[in-house]
Amino acid sequence: MTRIAIIGGHGKVALHLSTLLAEEGHAVTSFIRNPDHAADVAETGATPSVLDVENSTTAALADALQGHDAVVWSAGAGGGNPDRTYAVDRDAAIRSMDAAGQAGVNRYVMVSYLGARKDHGVPADHGFFAYAEAKAAADEYLRSTGLAWTILGPGGLTDKPGTGMIAVDPDPAGERATSRSNTAIVAAAVLDLPQTAGKTIEFCDGSLPVAAALESLS
C-alpha cells in the first residue's frame, strides 16, 4: 500500500481517481478547500483534509504532504477569474511542486490538458488565455524540477462512462473527447508505472486499453 495525496480532491477527475486508488488498497488523502465537500470525498474511500492551496505557503503544503509517496495535482480555479486562475493553476501548483520536494515526495503527477504548451496559440483576449498561460507555466516548471514527474494531457473532458480505452498522441484534427473516468484510470495507472516518469502523455478516448497504450510509450 502506498500513501497518495490528491490536491483538488473534490473535482470530478479526483473523485474518480480516489475511488480507484482506494479500491486498489492505497491510502489516499484528498485535499479540499471547502469542508462541506468532506463527505463526498470520504464516500470514495479517501481521507478528506481541508487545505486552501491558493493561500497556503510552500512550508504549509510541505507539512501536509509529509509521509506521502506520491502527489497528484488535480486542482483548478475553474476559470472565469484570470487573477484566481494564475493564483491557483500556476502559482499554487508551483508551490506544491516545491513543497513535494521539501517533503521528500518524489513522485508527482500533474493533470494538465491536451495542447498545453507555451505556444498554445490562444489569443490574449480569449477567456481561455489565462488558463492556457497558467498551465503552460506550471508544466514547464514541473519539467525543470528534480521530481519524478508525469504530465497528463487529456482532451476535452466529458462525463461519459470510463471504458479504460484511450488513444495516445491523438490526431489534432480528430475527435479528442476524453471521459473524466478514463482520465482517472490513466492517472492511477501511471502511479504504478515508474517508467512513465519524465513523460508528457497526451490522450483521448480511444480503442487501446490503457495498459497497452502506456506500454507503447516506453
Side-chain angles (χ1 to χ4, degrees):
M1 181 178 73
T2 54
R3 292 193 64 199
I4 299 168
I6 301 175
I7 299 175
H10 193 253
K12 292 181 179 180
V13 170
L15 291 170
H16 284 300
L17 177 59
S18 56
T19 299
L20 289 173
L21 294 174
E23 288 174 350
E24 291 175 0
H26 299 293
V28 181
T29 306
S30 280
F31 293 104
I32 54 176
R33 181 177 60 86
N34 188 343
D36 293 342
H37 294 158
D40 292 340
V41 169
E43 284 182 8
T44 70
T47 300
S49 181
V50 177
L51 181 70
D52 180 1
V53 295
E54 180 181 357
N55 297 300
S56 294
T57 63
T58 301
L61 292 170
D63 285 345
L65 294 176
Q66 286 285 346
H68 291 87
D69 301 300
V71 57
V72 178
W73 177 275
S74 190
N81 182 327
D83 288 342
R84 187 158 185 268
T85 295
Y86 287 120
V88 175
D89 293 275
R90 181 189 63 194
D91 301 340
I94 287 172
R95 286 198 300 275
S96 78
M97 299 166 201
D98 292 338
Q102 291 181 18
V105 185
N106 191 49
R107 189 72 171 106
Y108 191 108
V109 175
M110 165 63 75
V111 180
S112 188
Y113 74 95
L114 178 58
R117 54 184 54 89
K118 289 184 72 175
D119 58 341
H120 49 72
V122 179
D125 60 352
H126 193 284
F128 193 71
F129 179 79
Y131 182 76
E133 287 282 287
K135 294 301 281 185
D139 291 357
E140 184 177 34
Y141 187 88
L142 181 56
R143 294 185 183 103
S144 76
T145 69
L147 300 172
W149 56 267
T150 302
I151 296 172
L152 303 182
L157 295 173
T158 75
D159 288 323
K160 290 183 178 179
T163 61
M165 311 283 276
I166 63 170
V168 295
D169 298 326
D171 182 348
E175 175 59 51
R176 297 165 68 158
T178 315
S179 76
R180 290 178 171 87
S181 182
N182 274 350
T183 302
I185 290 169
V186 174
V190 301
L191 284 167
D192 281 334
L193 295 172
Q195 63 268 35
T196 61
K199 294 185 182 296
T200 299
I201 303 171
E202 296 191 320
F203 63 95
C204 64
D205 292 342
S207 58
L208 196 61
V210 166
L214 295 177
E215 283 176 10
S216 72
L217 300 171
S218 301

